């Protein structure tokens, strides 16, 4: 009997311990304890104990709420899952938001596996209690518990649930109304008559709420309701609300509608887009608040809307040129760097929509302005997206070069890293001649950067360029310069040579391996710096399978094996270790 009580006794002791870390660890082990106790004792002893123990730090309660969501199997399966609702109900009413949210998530998960009788007998009464709780915390949590079981409830219960939810939408506490507005997005679970007759009046009231924190959360509800309604119903019921959202006195509401413009457009239909949304979109592009303009910039028709919502079939090219391009011209010189950076990320996607002539006439001047922007983030964003501009790229090349050079020398190493990662893309567009004349020296200079991450990225860059231009180009243009670095007086250049040759070896042919890469590595095996020597050993280890693959197994016997054998007798411990590992790999294969 004492042994049977031991797991519970240990848990009790640890949950009462003054050390928070120990209590947290105990909660995360309750599934193991439940497994030891078995389903029956877990139901009769552990679950009631946990329900009584909900008086702890938020970290412990959060862990408990998470554990209970996956606890069904430990209480004996779905038939007993309703027993977990009691502790989760208590957790759903605590003060800390993250604990309540996790409790609602776990409760929703359990609710979806309950039988209709369990829902009627246990889940619905719990929702009732939380919805009518004295504290706003319980009513806030209740808002998220309706949708998971709505379809499984009886018709009468569904009527009661809608009435209860309606009361929450009119709650005196803004936090509760916010939760109710958020969960209106689940309106797709309702029939159209219920949406039109019951949910829409609630949505309309929330969309005009005195608190902007409530109004901004109704955007998702608008999308859900619009997806259920016909275009005519949408126009008669939602159009005025949508217009008001676009000109709401709170910038946060306007920001939300700007950020979700794609989804709104897809939901409301072609007629409203043509008649109202184009004008509304122009308004948010010209909004007084930079945050709203930033959000709108990422949603520009011809960018995300065109790609995802087939907006191009609704807005013709002339409309884009007449309505949207003038706004984009203004945004290119916007006072906010964030707006310009967001625009630079997306503007190139307009090119396929406008076609070659219009791209050259309207977009290239804007690209040039962005390439000369004071902010490195803006210049970097426009360069990173030029792969979408197939027409007129040659006209940009002369302006691209100064921008690339300036970014390549930026004092922020992350900016330099970002431009390196975009070089192969630019090279494929600008061609080998432009690259060799304008960018080749720049790419080699990165190999000597003071930051290791830049040098590493520069070696990867050489590999990608070889994939773009071919190994014959690499043999003639890149590899000779890398080999010269192997004779540099600074050991960092010599070690970068090893890294570069190792990665280039994966994309060149056997001839380059035999005539250029292996001899250079062998010469560096006698370098006076131990770091150079053990990196030679590591590099040779990586080349062993490549040599076999390219029919150069003879090189393993001479010169690679003698080189590794010599390094195995090196005076440096690390050199001996890596050389021994490489030699073992050579002889074992």
């Amino acid at each position: 009997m004492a042994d049977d009580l031991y797991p519970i006794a240990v848990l009790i002791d640890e949950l009462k311990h003054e050390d928070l870390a120990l209590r947290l660890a105990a909660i995360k082990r309750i599934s193991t304890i439940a497994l030891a106790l078995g389903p029956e004792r877990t139901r009769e002893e552990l679950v009631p104990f946990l329900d009584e123990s909900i008086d702890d730090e938020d970290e412990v309660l959060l862990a408990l709420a998470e554990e209970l969501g996956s606890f069904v199997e430990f209480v004996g399966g779905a038939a007993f899952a309703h027993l977990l609702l009691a502790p989760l109900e208590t957790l759903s009413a605590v003060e800390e938001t993250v604990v309540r949210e996790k409790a609602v998530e776990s409760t929703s998960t359990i609710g979806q596996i309950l039988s209709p009788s369990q829902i009627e007998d246990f889940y619905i009464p719990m929702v009732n209690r939380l919805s009518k709780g004295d504290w706003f915390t319980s009513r806030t949590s209740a808002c998220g518990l309706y949708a998971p079981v709505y379809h499984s409830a009886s018709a009468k219960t569904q009527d009661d649930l809608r009435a209860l939810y309606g009361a929450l939408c009119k709650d005196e506490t803004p936090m509760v109304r916010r939760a109710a507005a958020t969960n209106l997005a689940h309106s797709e679970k309702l029939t159209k008559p219920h949406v039109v007759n019951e949910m829409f009046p609630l949505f309309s009231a929330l969309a005009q709420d005195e608190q902007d924190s409530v109004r901004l959360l109704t955007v998702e509800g608008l999308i859900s309701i619009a997806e259920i309604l016909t275009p005519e119903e949408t126009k008669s019921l939602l159009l005025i609300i949508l217009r008001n959202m676009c000109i709401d006195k709170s910038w946060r509401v306007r920001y939300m509608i700007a950020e979700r413009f794609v989804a709104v457009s897809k939901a409301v239909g072609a007629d409203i887009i043509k008649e109202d949304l184009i004008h509304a979109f122009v308004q948010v592009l010209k909004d007084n608040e930079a945050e709203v303009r930033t959000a709108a910039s990422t949603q520009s028709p011809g960018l995300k809307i065109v790609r995802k919502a087939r907006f191009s079939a609704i807005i013709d090219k002339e409309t884009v040129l007449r309505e949207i391009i003038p706004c984009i011209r203004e945004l290119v010189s916007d006072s906010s760097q964030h707006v310009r950076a967001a625009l630079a990320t997306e503007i190139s996607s307009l090119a396929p929509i406008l076609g070659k002539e219009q791209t050259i006439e309207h977009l290239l001047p804007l690209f040039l302005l962005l390439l000369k922007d004071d902010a490195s983030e803006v210049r970097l964003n426009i360069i990173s997206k030029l792969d979408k501009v197939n027409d007129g790229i040659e006209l940009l090349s002369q302006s691209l070069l100064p921008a690339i050079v300036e970014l390549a020398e930026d004092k922020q190493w992350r900016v330099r890293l970002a431009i390196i990662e975009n070089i192969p893309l630019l090279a494929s567009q600008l061609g080998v001649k432009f690259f060799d004349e304008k960018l080749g020296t720049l790419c080699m200079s990165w190999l000597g950067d003071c930051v290791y991450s830049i040098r590493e990225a520069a070696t990867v860059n050489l590999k990608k360029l070889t994939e773009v231009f071919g190994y014959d180009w690499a043999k003639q243009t890149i590899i000779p310069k890398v080999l010269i670095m192997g004779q540099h007086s600074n050991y960092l250049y010599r070690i970068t040579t090893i890294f570069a040759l190792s990665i280039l070896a994966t994309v060149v042919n056997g001839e380059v391996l035999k005539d250029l890469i292996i001899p250079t590595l062998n010469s560096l095996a006698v370098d006076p710096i131990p770091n150079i020597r053990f990196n030679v050993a590591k590099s040779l280890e990586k080349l062993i399978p490549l040599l076999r693959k390219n029919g150069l197994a003879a090189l393993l016997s001479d010169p690679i094996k003698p080189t590794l054998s010599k390094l195995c007798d090196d005076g440096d411990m690390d050199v001996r270790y890596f050389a021994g590992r490489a030699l073992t790999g050579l002889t074992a294969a």
Side-chain angles (χ1 to χ4, degrees):
M1 181 67 178
D3 290 342
D4 290 343
L5 293 173
Y6 182 71
I8 285 284
V10 171
L11 181 64
I12 291 172
D13 289 342
E14 291 184 345
L15 286 178
K16 291 181 178 179
H17 200 281
E18 62 181 17
D19 186 353
L20 174 62
L22 196 61
R23 299 200 305 276
L24 192 58
I27 285 296
K28 292 182 177 179
R29 278 202 324 275
I30 60 170
S31 58
T32 305
I33 293 172
L35 205 57
L37 289 172
E40 186 176 351
R41 291 192 61 201
T42 297
R43 295 194 299 268
E44 295 176 358
E45 299 173 36
L46 182 56
V47 173
F49 170 73
L50 292 173
D51 191 20
E52 295 168 2
S53 303
I54 299 176
D55 184 18
D56 207 326
E57 298 289 340
D58 295 331
E59 293 93 330
V60 177
L61 298 183
L62 178 62
L64 177 58
E66 186 173 4
E67 289 291 327
L68 289 174
S70 56
F71 216 64
V72 173
E73 63 178 295
F74 300 113
V75 295
F80 300 97
H82 61 275
L83 295 173
L84 298 172
L85 297 179
L88 285 169
E89 180 180 351
T90 307
L91 289 167
S92 297
V94 300
E95 187 174 352
E96 178 53 46
T97 303
V98 292
V99 177
R100 295 200 310 271
E101 289 176 348
K102 183 57 68 174
V104 169
E105 181 184 326
S106 294
T107 306
S108 299
T109 301
I110 293 170
Q112 291 172 20
I113 63 171
L114 296 178
S115 66
S117 61
Q118 287 174 308
I119 290 173
E120 296 289 341
D121 295 339
F122 301 101
Y123 192 99
I124 298 302
M126 176 196 67
V127 172
N128 267 287
R129 290 190 296 272
L130 288 171
S131 299
K132 297 175 181 178
D134 293 334
W135 291 96
F136 79 91
T137 53
S138 64
R139 303 197 300 276
T140 300
S141 295
C143 294
L145 298 176
Y146 286 77
V149 301
Y150 182 82
H151 280 315
S152 302
S154 64
K156 182 180 181 307
T157 301
Q158 288 181 352
D159 293 341
D160 294 339
L161 288 176
R162 293 196 304 277
L164 266 177
Y165 197 83
L168 293 172
C169 290
K170 301 172 184 176
D171 196 276
E172 61 182 12
T173 307
M175 288 288 288
V176 179
R177 298 200 302 276
R178 289 188 71 224
T182 300
N183 286 281
L184 270 179
H186 299 301
S187 295
E188 77 277 357
K189 295 183 180 293
L190 303 174
T191 63
K192 184 187 285 190
H194 290 148
V195 170
V196 173
N197 298 324
E198 297 181 40
M199 288 298 111
F200 174 73
L202 299 174
F203 162 77
S204 180
L206 290 170
Q208 301 172 60
D209 196 275
E210 61 182 11
Q211 298 284 332
D212 65 345
S213 62
V214 176
R215 297 198 304 276
L216 67 88
L217 293 171
T218 59
V219 174
E220 293 295 336
L222 181 145
I223 294 169
S224 294
I225 293 173
E227 288 173 344
I228 295 171
L229 303 178
T230 64
E232 293 73 22
E233 291 168 334
T234 299
K235 187 179 291 188
S236 64
L237 295 175
L238 297 179
L239 184 53
I240 293 176
I241 295 174
L242 177 56
R243 286 173 178 166
N244 291 336
M245 285 180 172
C246 293
I247 58 171
D248 195 278
K249 62 184 178 182
S250 168
W251 71 266
R252 297 201 298 166
V253 178
R254 303 195 305 275
Y255 172 88
M256 189 63 69
I257 198 73
E259 188 180 49
R260 299 292 287 143
F261 215 86
V262 170
V264 170
S265 300
K266 290 172 67 175
V268 299
D271 289 344
I272 292 181
I273 291 174
K274 289 179 180 178
E275 296 170 11
D276 283 271
L277 281 196
I278 295 175
H279 175 68
F281 188 72
V282 169
Q283 282 184 304
V284 293
L285 280 173
K286 296 180 176 180
D287 198 272
N288 293 330
E289 294 292 334
E291 288 83 358
V292 179
R293 299 196 302 276
T294 301
S297 297
T298 66
Q299 304 284 299
S300 180
L303 309 181
K304 293 188 176 180
I305 291 179
V306 170
R307 295 202 300 273
K308 295 183 180 179
R310 304 188 183 278
F311 212 55
S312 55
I314 301 167
I315 296 184
D316 54 69
K317 187 191 301 186
E318 287 68 30
T319 304
V320 174
L321 290 170
R322 185 178 65 254
E323 302 287 349
I324 307 303
I325 292 297
C327 296
I328 291 178
R329 286 198 189 100
E330 294 180 18
L331 292 175
V332 164
S333 55
D334 195 276
S335 59
S336 169
Q337 173 185 327
H338 301 295
V339 174
R340 301 196 306 274
L343 181 67
T345 302
E346 300 293 347
I347 188 174
S348 58
S349 295
L350 272 169
I353 306 304
L354 296 182
K356 182 175 181 177
E357 292 183 5
Q358 302 296 349
T359 294
I360 293 172
E361 181 181 349
H362 296 284
L363 291 187
L364 287 192
L366 304 182
F367 292 158
L368 292 173
L369 288 173
L370 291 169
L371 284 169
K372 297 174 183 176
D373 197 276
D374 293 336
S376 59
E377 181 187 4
V378 177
R379 301 195 301 273
L380 190 59
N381 285 354
I382 189 68
I383 289 173
S384 67
K385 298 295 183 179
L386 284 179
D387 59 312
K388 298 181 177 67
V389 186
N390 295 318
D391 299 313
I393 189 69
E394 65 281 354
L395 301 177
L396 281 175
S397 58
Q398 295 307 313
S399 295
L400 268 174
L401 188 59
I404 292 171
V405 171
E406 194 170 340
L407 289 167
E409 298 171 350
D410 196 278
K411 61 182 179 180
Q412 296 290 332
W413 70 268
R414 295 183 193 279
V415 174
R416 301 200 300 276
L417 180 63
I419 193 64
I420 291 173
E421 292 170 347
N422 283 291
I423 285 294
L425 178 66
L426 291 170
S428 65
Q429 289 186 287
L430 296 170
V432 64
K433 183 180 178 181
F434 181 90
F435 180 85
D436 287 344
E437 291 177 359
K438 309 293 185 182
L439 298 178
T441 304
L442 187 62
C443 287
M444 295 306 299
S445 70
W446 284 320
L447 292 170
D449 197 277
C450 60
V451 177
Y452 171 75
S453 294
I454 300 296
R455 298 196 299 274
E456 182 183 38
T459 61
V460 176
N461 180 48
L462 295 182
K463 174 189 174 183
K464 291 179 178 177
L465 287 171
T466 303
E467 292 172 342
V468 172
F469 295 139
Y471 54 73
D472 286 335
W473 169 84
K475 180 181 176 181
Q476 296 172 9
T477 309
I478 291 295
I479 293 180
K481 296 177 182 177
V482 174
L483 298 183
I484 292 172
M485 284 178 55
Q487 302 168 19
H488 201 281
S489 58
N490 188 327
Y491 92 96
L492 285 177
Y493 283 85
R494 301 200 299 278
I495 204 168
T496 302
T497 298
I498 298 172
F499 296 153
L501 291 177
S502 297
I503 197 165
L504 283 170
T506 62
V507 290
V508 297
N509 60 7
E511 181 187 351
V512 175
L513 273 171
K514 179 183 177 182
D515 297 341
L516 299 174
I517 293 179
I518 295 299
T520 304
L521 291 175
N522 269 332
S523 67
L524 289 168
V526 294
D527 195 279
I529 304 295
N531 272 16
I532 301 289
R533 299 198 298 276
F534 81 63
N535 273 291
V536 167
K538 290 169 70 174
S539 182
L540 290 175
E541 181 182 14
K542 294 176 183 176
L543 292 183
I544 290 170
L546 285 174
L547 292 173
R548 289 198 173 100
K549 181 180 177 181
N550 284 277
L552 299 172
L555 294 177
L556 299 177
S557 300
D558 184 27
I560 290 181
K561 188 173 182 180
T563 299
L564 290 174
S565 298
K566 185 177 180 181
L567 291 174
C568 284
D569 297 327
D570 195 275
D572 186 90
M573 179 175 62
D574 291 330
V575 177
R576 293 196 302 273
Y577 169 76
F578 287 110
R581 192 176 74 177
L583 195 58
T584 302
L586 188 152
T587 55

